[in-house]
Amino acid sequence: MILGSTPVGPDCSQRTDLAPITGSLQAGSDRFVTSFTIASSLPAKPSNSGERNDFYGEEIIFSYRAENQKPAISFDDESLPISFFIQVGAADSVLVLDLIASGAKAKVPNLAEGSTLYVTVKLKGKTSGGTTVESNEATFPIRIVGSCVGSPSDGTGACANPKQC
């Protein structure tokens, strides 16, 4: 289950000094990195069965919708392979993502200042027993702005982005 989003610093570590419910991205940019806290809500299997109920992530699905954008820009959903593991009962796993997936990178820079991009994320995978499962959907709004001043992800590192605020 996706519990929520937390911004990251330039070194990709979660920032504890910020708790925004939306992000901002400078017009013309095509990268927005944030983290999602994810947890396993799967019940543990009886200990005598020898089978666990861990989650193995296999796919991430991105959906996009732009509001207040003239002319309108439509996006296709995007499915990307992913590989990660969440132990049954885990409550504090973190997944760091660039919310602008490859197919959207050509369109997001064309969004006008004042528009809002809604990015919805969903995870799919299997349990250790082979059952197919999927997460809830989490939607993160990103406002398109003229400029970012004092970006919390400014600096050096894998998640550095002075155009994200």
Side-chain angles (χ1 to χ4, degrees), residues 3 89 120 157 165:
L3 301 176
T120 301
C165 44

Side-chain angles (χ1 to χ4, degrees), residues 2 5 32 34 36 59-67 75-80 97-101 104 108 116-124 134-142:
I2 302 172
S5 178
F32 191 95
T34 193
F36 287 95
E59 177 184 18
I60 186 166
I61 299 169
F62 294 96
S63 300
Y64 302 94
R65 177 175 49 90
E67 283 191 0
F75 295 87
D76 293 328
D77 287 356
E78 227 175 308
S79 172
L80 300 173
L97 298 171
D98 179 356
L99 293 181
I100 315 301
V108 169
T116 302
L117 177 67
Y118 292 90
V119 182
T120 301
V121 177
K122 182 186 224 179
L123 305 170
K124 290 186 175 184
E134 58 186 50
S135 74
N136 58 311
E137 292 182 343
T139 301
F140 190 79
I142 303 171

Side-chain angles (χ1 to χ4, degrees), residues 133-164:
V133 292
E134 58 186 50
S135 74
N136 58 311
E137 292 182 343
T139 301
F140 190 79
I142 303 171
R143 293 173 292 153
I144 307 301
V145 298
S147 65
C148 287
V149 178
S151 170
S153 64
D154 197 5
T156 58
C159 292
N161 185 4
K163 296 180 179 182
Q164 173 180 330

Side-chain angles (χ1 to χ4, degrees), residues 82-140:
I82 193 168
S83 180
F84 66 93
F85 165 81
I86 300 176
Q87 188 173 358
V88 65
D92 59 357
S93 298
V94 175
L95 184 61
V96 177
L97 298 171
D98 179 356
L99 293 181
I100 315 301
S102 58
K105 287 204 179 286
K107 294 182 178 184
V108 169
N110 299 320
L111 292 174
E113 184 178 338
S115 63
T116 302
L117 177 67
Y118 292 90
V119 182
T120 301
V121 177
K122 182 186 224 179
L123 305 170
K124 290 186 175 184
K126 292 187 176 165
T127 65
S128 49
T131 303
T132 300
V133 292
E134 58 186 50
S135 74
N136 58 311
E137 292 182 343
T139 301
F140 190 79

